[in-house]
Amino acid sequence: MKLLGMDCSSLNISLAAMDNDEVIFSLNRKRKKAAAKVIVWLEELLKDKKLEVNDFDMFVIGAGPGSFTGLRISFSIIKAFAFSLKKPVISIGSFYSLAYKLRKKSSKIAVFCDAGRGLIYGATFRFDEKEGLRKSRKESFFKLEDFLRKFKDHMFVTYNYHLRDEVLFFEEKARLWPKNIWPDALSLCRVAKKYFLGKFTSLDRLQPLYIYPKECQVRNLFIAKEKK
């Protein structure tokens, strides 16, 4: 079973492919405005491995939250692949990849990112050997200090470096993972294989998790008008 994964929800543009438990390739590039190059990088990776998109059994997409442009590009690509090749898609919140990498470090993990306007966007996860990794609180808006107090028994992780000092300002004893961890496609492929096989998203319901969806609808309408 071959999986092709993509996550463009953050500054880290990520592609990965797996054949059962074997990693075929994994690419992570942290550049501004790099999402526009993701299809070029994918073509290079496939050519190097002598593969075609049709060789994959399913696609895995990081649903966000995150970059409007990155999510719009990655979802457009995956939708086009799935529609033209009639292959299924597993859509997974990008925070899952961070929680997956830390699941052996803490049984309770709180993942968050900067949402602007003085807010953060966060979700929580729990892990145990019997039930595996599961989301215990879906993505929601919080003030950072409220998030830290509400989930003080969790390990906190973010990929927004500038928020780290704020965490320690509000809660100096907070268990904050000491390094930035980015959403990545390889972790999402592993999450999909372990916890989401068979849980496919139909193309008509395949939507990114935008932080401010109403504003994104306006931007999408503006982009559509510009193309006419």
Side-chain angles (χ1 to χ4, degrees):
M1 180 180 61
K2 290 187 176 70
L3 283 73
L4 176 63
M6 182 181 298
D7 188 289
C8 299
S9 64
S10 70
L11 187 63
N12 184 49
I13 305 304
S14 184
L15 293 163
M18 295 185 70
D19 185 356
N20 293 317
D21 292 329
E22 179 186 353
V23 177
I24 301 173
F25 60 73
S26 177
L27 178 142
N28 294 279
R29 292 188 177 173
K30 300 175 184 66
R31 299 181 189 174
K32 291 183 178 180
K33 299 181 180 180
K37 298 180 180 179
V38 68
I39 192 67
V40 175
W41 294 336
L42 177 58
E43 289 174 351
E44 291 173 352
L45 290 166
L46 293 174
K47 183 178 180 180
D48 181 64
K49 298 297 181 179
K50 296 180 173 57
L51 289 169
E52 296 182 359
V53 176
N54 196 36
D55 292 328
F56 293 92
D57 300 295
M58 64 190 70
F59 305 113
V60 179
I61 181 76
S67 162
F68 168 79
T69 301
L71 289 171
R72 183 171 59 85
I73 290 172
S74 60
F75 269 73
S76 295
I77 293 170
I78 293 299
K79 280 185 175 181
F81 288 166
F83 178 79
S84 61
L85 301 173
K86 295 180 172 54
K87 299 290 180 75
V89 179
I90 298 176
S91 178
I92 305 174
S94 299
F95 282 174
Y96 253 103
S97 66
L98 283 75
Y100 179 78
K101 285 182 276 193
L102 292 180
R103 70 196 187 285
K104 298 295 181 70
K105 303 294 183 181
S106 176
S107 61
K108 296 180 180 180
I109 303 164
V111 184
F112 64 99
C113 68
D114 191 350
R117 306 177 185 180
L119 298 171
I120 59 104
Y121 208 53
T124 63
F125 298 81
R126 293 197 177 193
F127 175 78
D128 62 58
E129 295 295 343
K130 183 178 180 180
E131 296 189 23
L133 181 67
R134 63 194 188 281
K135 190 184 295 182
S136 51
R137 174 71 180 255
K138 70 177 184 179
E139 295 86 352
S140 303
F141 288 107
F142 295 90
K143 287 186 176 180
L144 179 57
E145 56 268 39
D146 294 338
F147 187 69
L148 296 172
R149 282 195 290 267
K150 187 175 183 65
F151 303 109
K152 61 183 179 181
D153 59 341
H154 288 55
M155 174 178 284
F156 296 96
V157 58
T158 182
Y159 53 82
N160 293 131
Y161 187 81
H162 64 279
L163 290 176
R164 303 179 66 80
D165 288 341
E166 293 186 41
V167 169
L168 298 177
F169 173 79
F170 288 118
E171 292 288 340
E172 61 180 19
K173 294 183 179 180
R175 287 196 301 150
L176 177 64
W177 184 249
K179 298 179 181 179
N180 279 18
I181 299 181
W182 297 88
D184 75 281
L186 182 57
S187 294
L188 288 176
C189 284
R190 286 172 169 155
V191 168
K193 185 175 178 296
K194 197 168 184 66
Y195 305 116
F196 286 86
L197 282 184
K199 298 179 181 179
F200 304 124
T201 303
S202 61
L203 293 185
D204 60 322
R205 299 186 64 184
L206 189 61
Q207 297 292 333
L209 180 57
Y210 293 125
I211 293 178
Y212 295 104
K214 289 184 178 180
E215 291 185 7
C216 291
Q217 288 173 6
V218 173
R219 291 176 69 179
N220 277 323
L221 181 61
F222 179 76
I223 290 168
K225 286 183 177 179
E226 278 196 327
K227 289 181 178 179
K228 289 183 179 180

